[in-house]
């Protein structure tokens, strides 16, 4: 017989522990005896009733396996679920598109076995947990990303947790119950009519959101010793790190970029990097990543993603758009380098050669593209935003029914007659540049799409603007396409705004590069549109007085720096244009309307801008708000004329 050593036998540790227990003090024996006495009844009970316990476990497992939700497309509920409702006119105007509201999908769900109370209990608990977790995970990552720069981590976390809890309970109840006397989520107006509130609307007004902005900036400043500053990002041309950035900041990106020769070479080089990093690359691919099922047993068919939708442009076109943005942004940075005297002559600046012309500034590159046969359209435009969170339903035949989504917030305006609030859907706006010609935008049915705005990524600059090809993502123009001279001025103003906002964000160490505190995407483009036309149709405008004053101060300082270059660096004609456009931006910033403080006198303008920004009524809450604001604006107009 061979004795196993302590190191070779897994049983040895247990033997040793018992040996130590019995060889130790009397107290150890007492502890062991007490443990055996207490566990004996439990062990006896489990042994005696083991067969009954097994039967109960099997019964529970059987019932839990039956806890599921089915989708009944023909279901007719007494209470229609109101959740991200689509405008029926919008649906009817797009008969070739399979779409439904989130509320319509929820109204089709019902328990597989509604008569089983056991199933109902488990189902409600599971639905609450599943929906709540999904909302916290995805709403927190998407909508939270939109609100976080404004509100601060604690505030937005509490708000998202609150709405997740409320919506999960609402959705679970909507699936499990259908009682005609339920009035959850509904109010009664002065005519005795029920008016349902959208379950997915955030109960936050613009003023309530922005009220957190200064506190968030004070407690959430950025340590730029550990990350690139907005000004440095502008120098590199984009807000991207790693080996997929065009400029790796290692001296390899040319200081003089020949558009005719270098453009295609750098696009090809980026395609090779993507292929090496991701293992696959199709230059003509327009597809989105596959949609992910959320929970087939409890939310049958519901997927997170865009289904079978496609991008407006191919992957190669997207890479080309990125490169053009990098070039334009680097040229924007030249204004900062010259004004701050980092370089003494234009010869030390980054340059782009286009059609034999040497371009130092972005408006010069756009002019050079026009001179060599490109058409360029510049116009402020806006679309609805869902911050990347979109649903679809996979049907039995494998096709998808799309569920448009958005972020719904209060405008801060309420109707006195019934207290009903007016809501708005979060927009994304910017200054569009559509370019098509022999080099830029040469392929595909659409031109090159890029857009200027301050992004949530923390950089005010030109960005590529390809998007989902769907009617609910259609753009709304907020002005006529600019005439050529105004278009060139607009590009020059983009460079000035990019430098100023990047300087402020860098100097004040603002989180998210100033996004939210210096304004949203709409605000950065509206500064330029308002300076050009003396009016704007953009809604909402969220810049706060504190930071508008900073913007004016920095614009004034930049204007003085430009004037100091006279006779040394730039020609007088160029400096006169710069100084004039900077002064125009100072005036537009000082006079730009704000939607944070609404009064009867500003209600007329607010209603007009809301009407224009939401000319495309995708969601019913937009249509309702337009009717309400129109009525209130008419009353205000009559009162002001008395």
């Amino acid at each position: 017989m061979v004795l196993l050593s302590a190191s070779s036998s897994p049983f040895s540790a247990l033997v040793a522990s018992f040996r130590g227990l019995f060889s130790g003090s009397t107290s150890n024996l007492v502890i062991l005896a007490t443990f055996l006495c207490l566990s004996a009844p439990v062990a006896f009970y489990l042994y005696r009733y083991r067969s009954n316990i097994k039967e109960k476990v099997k019964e529970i497992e059987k019932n839990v396996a039956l806890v599921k939700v089915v989708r009944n497309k023909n279901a007719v509920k007494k209470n229609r679920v109101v959740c991200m409702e689509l405008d029926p006119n919008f649906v009817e105007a797009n008969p070739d598109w399979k779409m439904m509201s989130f509320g319509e999908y929820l109204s089709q769900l019902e328990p597989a076995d509604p008569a089983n109370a056991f199933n109902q209990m488990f189902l409600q608990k599971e639905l609450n947990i599943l929906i709540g977790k999904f909302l916290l995970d995805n709403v927190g990552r998407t909508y939270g990303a939109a609100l976080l720069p404004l509100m601060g981590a604690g505030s937005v976390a509490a708000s998202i947790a609150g709405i997740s809890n409320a919506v999960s309970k609402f959705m679970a109840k909507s699936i499990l119950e259908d009682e005609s006397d339920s009035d959850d989520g509904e109010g009664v107006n002065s005519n005795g009519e029920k008016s349902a509130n959208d379950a997915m609307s955030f109960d936050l007004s613009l003023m309530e959101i922005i009220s957190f902005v200064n506190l968030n900036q004070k407690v959430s400043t950025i340590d730029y010793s550990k990350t690139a500053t907005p000004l440095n990002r502008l120098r590199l041309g984009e807000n991207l790190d790693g080996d997929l950035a065009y400029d790796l900041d290692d001296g390899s990106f040319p200081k003089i970029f020949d558009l005719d020769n270098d453009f295609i070479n750098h696009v090809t080089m980026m395609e090779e990097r993507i292929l090496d990093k991701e293992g696959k690359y199709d230059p003509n691919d327009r597809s989105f990543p596959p949609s992910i099922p959320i929970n087939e047993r409890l939310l049958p068919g519901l997927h997170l993603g865009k289904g079978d939708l496609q991008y407006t442009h191919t992957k190669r076109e997207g890479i080309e758009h990125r490169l053009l943005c990098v070039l334009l942004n680097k040229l924007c940075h030249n204004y900062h380098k010259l004004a701050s005297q980092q370089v003494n002559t234009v010869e030390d600046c980054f340059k782009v050669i286009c059609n034999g012309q040497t371009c130092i500034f972005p408006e010069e590159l756009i002019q050079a593209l026009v001179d060599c046969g490109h058409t360029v359209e510049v116009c402020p435009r806006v679309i609805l935003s869902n911050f990347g969170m979109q649903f679809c339903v996979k049907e039995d035949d494998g096709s998808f029914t799309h569920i448009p989504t958005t972020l719904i917030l209060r405008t801060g305006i309420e109707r006195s007659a019934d207290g009903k609030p007016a809501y708005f859907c979060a927009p994304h706006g910017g200054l569009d540049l559509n370019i098509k010609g022999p080099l830029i935008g040469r392929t595909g049915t659409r031109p090159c799409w890029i857009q200027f705005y301050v992004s949530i990524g923390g950089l005010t600059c030109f960005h590529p603007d390809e998007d989902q090809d769907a009617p609910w993502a259609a753009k709304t123009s907020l002005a006529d396409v600019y005439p050529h001279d105004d278009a060139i001025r607009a590009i020059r103003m983009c460079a000035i705004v990019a430098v100023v906002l990047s300087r402020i964000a860098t100097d004040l160490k603002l989180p998210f590069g100033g996004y939210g505190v210096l304004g949203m995407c709409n605000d950065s483009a509206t500064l330029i549109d308002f300076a050009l036309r003396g009016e704007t149709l953009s809604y909402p405008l969220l810049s706060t007085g504190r930071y508008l004053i900073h913007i004016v101060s920095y614009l004034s300082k930049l204007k003085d720096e430009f004037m100091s270059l006279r006779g040394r660096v730039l020609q007088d004609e160029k400096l006169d244009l710069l100084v004039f456009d900077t002064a125009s931006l100072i005036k537009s910033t000082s006079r730009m309307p704000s939607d944070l403080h609404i009064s009867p006198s500003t209600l007329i303008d607010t209603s007009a801008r809301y009407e224009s920004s939401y000319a495309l009524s995708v969601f019913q809450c937009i249509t309702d708000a337009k009717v309400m604001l129109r009525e209130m604006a008419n009353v205000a107009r009559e009162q002001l004329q008395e």
Side-chain angles (χ1 to χ4, degrees):
M1 181 176 180
V2 179
L3 294 177
L4 295 176
S5 66
S7 59
S8 61
S9 172
F11 188 66
S12 58
L14 183 61
V15 172
S17 64
F18 273 101
R19 185 183 298 117
L21 185 64
F22 285 108
S23 62
S25 64
T26 306
S27 59
N28 289 338
L29 294 175
V30 172
I31 292 172
L32 179 62
T34 303
F35 171 77
L36 293 174
C37 291
L38 292 175
S39 60
V42 177
F44 175 75
Y45 176 87
L46 292 174
Y47 176 79
R48 181 174 180 180
Y49 297 102
R50 63 187 184 281
S51 58
N52 291 337
I53 292 172
K54 288 181 180 179
E55 291 178 4
K56 284 293 183 182
V57 169
K58 289 181 180 179
E59 182 181 351
I60 292 173
E61 290 176 345
K62 179 181 178 181
N63 278 284
V64 171
L66 294 174
V67 174
K68 62 184 296 188
V69 172
V70 295
R71 183 179 171 218
N72 181 4
K73 297 181 183 180
N74 300 317
V76 178
K77 289 194 173 185
K78 299 175 183 177
N79 283 325
R80 171 73 160 77
V81 181
V82 178
C83 194
M84 290 193 187
E85 289 305 298
L86 301 176
D87 186 327
N89 294 325
F90 171 77
V91 177
E92 292 174 7
N94 296 278
D96 297 333
W97 288 83
K98 292 173 61 178
M99 69 178 91
M100 68 168 68
S101 71
F102 198 26
E104 183 178 352
Y105 167 78
L106 292 175
S107 297
Q108 296 176 352
L109 303 183
E110 56 189 31
D113 187 5
N116 191 322
F118 183 90
N119 288 352
Q120 291 279 75
M121 177 186 68
F122 269 75
L123 185 56
Q124 180 147 8
K125 292 291 185 183
E126 276 204 282
L127 280 169
N128 277 332
I129 294 171
L130 170 70
I131 297 170
K133 183 179 185 303
F134 173 81
L135 286 170
L136 284 172
D137 289 347
N138 293 279
V139 174
R141 186 169 55 245
T142 55
Y143 292 173
L147 297 175
L148 182 59
L150 300 176
M151 300 178 62
S155 302
V156 75
S159 298
I160 292 175
I163 194 172
S164 298
N165 181 53
V167 172
S168 63
K169 289 181 179 178
F170 169 83
M171 291 171 63
K173 185 176 182 180
S174 300
I175 295 170
L176 297 175
E177 299 179 14
D178 184 26
E179 300 175 359
S180 59
D181 58 350
S182 174
D183 62 353
D184 286 2
E186 294 183 340
V188 180
N189 60 24
S190 58
N191 299 321
E193 300 170 339
K194 284 188 175 182
S195 57
N197 292 327
D198 199 302
M200 280 297 286
S201 60
F202 279 70
D203 193 23
L204 293 168
S205 70
L206 292 173
M207 191 61 219
E208 289 168 333
I209 293 175
I210 302 299
S211 64
F212 292 93
V213 68
N214 291 336
L215 176 61
N216 181 41
Q217 185 270 325
K218 289 179 182 295
V219 301
S220 303
T221 54
I222 299 299
D223 183 2
Y224 280 127
S225 65
K226 299 179 181 178
T227 183
T229 66
L231 276 174
N232 196 44
R233 295 288 189 190
L234 189 63
R235 178 183 64 83
L236 297 174
E238 60 183 338
N239 196 23
L240 185 65
D241 290 316
D243 52 2
L244 293 185
Y246 268 109
D247 189 344
L248 302 176
D249 203 15
D250 58 359
S252 61
F253 197 87
K255 294 182 179 180
I256 301 177
F257 193 97
D258 188 336
L259 204 66
D260 295 329
N261 299 317
D262 294 337
F263 192 84
I264 299 300
N265 291 338
H266 276 72
V267 168
T268 303
M269 177 185 66
M270 183 57 64
E271 290 180 318
E272 293 172 352
R273 289 187 196 172
I274 293 174
L275 180 60
D276 291 341
K277 187 176 184 66
E278 300 181 359
K280 60 178 181 178
Y281 170 75
D282 179 0
N284 299 314
D285 183 23
R286 293 175 53 205
S287 64
F288 283 92
S291 298
I292 303 171
I294 295 174
N295 188 300
E296 196 61 31
R297 182 168 59 87
L298 299 179
L299 298 172
L302 187 65
H303 285 57
L304 180 64
K306 295 179 173 60
D308 53 6
L309 291 180
Q310 292 192 316
Y311 276 106
T312 52
H313 297 78
T314 66
K315 287 188 175 180
R316 173 172 288 166
E317 289 169 336
I319 291 172
E320 292 175 348
H321 300 174
R322 260 188 64 206
L323 180 55
L324 178 61
C325 289
V326 168
L327 299 178
L328 288 170
N329 294 332
K330 283 176 168 289
L331 294 177
C332 289
H333 189 261
N334 282 342
Y335 277 124
H336 168 68
K337 288 195 291 188
L338 287 169
S340 61
Q341 299 185 20
Q342 291 183 12
V343 296
N344 295 320
T345 67
V346 294
E347 297 302 321
D348 298 325
C349 291
F350 172 77
K351 304 179 186 66
V352 176
I353 299 176
C354 176
N355 194 33
Q357 300 181 47
T358 300
C359 306
I360 308 297
F361 306 113
E363 67 272 19
E364 295 177 352
L365 176 55
I366 296 300
Q367 182 63 62
L369 289 172
V370 172
D371 293 341
C372 67
H374 290 76
T375 59
V376 178
E377 290 186 353
V378 181
C379 180
R381 294 193 175 101
V382 66
I383 62 172
L384 294 181
S385 177
N386 59 19
F387 299 96
M389 191 178 83
Q390 189 162 311
F391 298 135
C392 58
V393 178
K394 191 170 186 178
E395 305 291 355
D396 295 337
D397 61 359
S399 64
F400 286 92
T401 298
H402 302 284
I403 300 179
T405 57
T406 188
L407 173 61
I408 303 174
L409 293 163
R410 290 193 179 203
T411 61
I413 302 173
E414 298 177 354
R415 188 166 56 194
S416 299
D418 55 6
K420 182 177 180 180
Y423 290 94
F424 76 99
C425 298
H428 166 72
L431 194 66
D432 270 16
L433 277 75
N434 294 349
I435 306 173
K436 193 167 185 62
L439 180 60
I440 306 299
R442 68 192 182 282
T443 61
T445 58
R446 291 185 172 94
C448 163
W449 284 4
I450 62 177
Q451 195 176 57
F452 178 85
Y453 58 91
V454 54
S455 75
I456 196 170
L459 189 59
T460 305
C461 65
F462 293 97
H463 303 269
D465 195 41
E466 53 273 5
D467 202 348
Q468 56 180 308
D469 193 359
W472 52 87
K475 294 186 176 184
T476 297
S477 297
L478 300 180
D480 294 332
V481 174
Y482 293 160
H484 174 74
D485 289 346
D486 283 351
I488 296 300
R489 282 191 67 199
I491 303 304
R492 182 162 48 245
M493 288 185 184
C494 286
I496 296 170
V497 172
V499 169
V500 166
L501 266 59
S502 296
R503 282 184 172 187
I504 297 173
T506 299
D507 292 347
L508 301 185
K509 299 181 180 180
L510 299 180
F512 302 95
Y515 177 86
V517 294
L518 294 175
M520 310 289 275
C521 48
N522 270 7
D523 298 82
S524 54
T526 301
L527 287 176
I528 298 162
D529 184 46
F530 199 64
L532 281 171
R533 302 190 304 117
E535 61 179 349
T536 180
L537 295 175
S538 179
Y539 180 93
L541 298 175
L542 305 178
S543 296
T544 61
R546 174 188 176 191
Y547 290 98
L548 285 173
I549 293 173
H550 280 302
I551 294 173
V552 169
S553 298
Y554 273 71
L555 282 169
S556 299
K557 179 183 177 182
L558 184 62
K559 187 182 73 166
D560 293 340
E561 291 175 349
F562 286 150
M563 294 176 67
S564 69
L565 300 177
R566 188 178 299 276
R568 297 190 303 106
V569 180
L570 298 177
Q571 297 178 353
D572 288 351
E573 182 181 357
K574 178 68 176 178
L575 278 173
D576 289 342
L577 294 173
L578 272 175
V579 171
F580 181 79
D581 286 341
T582 307
S584 298
L585 286 168
I586 292 173
K587 293 178 182 178
S588 69
T589 306
S590 303
R591 300 171 181 172
M592 196 167 71
S594 172
D595 294 305
L596 299 179
H597 303 280
I598 305 298
S599 69
S601 61
T602 61
L603 190 57
I604 299 172
D605 177 67
T606 299
S607 175
R609 288 187 290 107
Y610 190 104
E611 191 94 24
S612 298
S613 293
Y614 296 104
L616 178 65
S617 291
V618 176
F619 295 93
Q620 185 63 41
C621 64
I622 294 176
T623 304
D624 294 343
K626 286 199 291 187
V627 172
M628 183 191 307
L629 292 175
R630 202 178 301 133
E631 293 173 352
M632 296 176 70
N634 289 335
V635 172
R637 193 175 289 109
E638 293 174 0
Q639 293 171 340
L640 292 173
Q641 290 175 350
E642 292 179 355

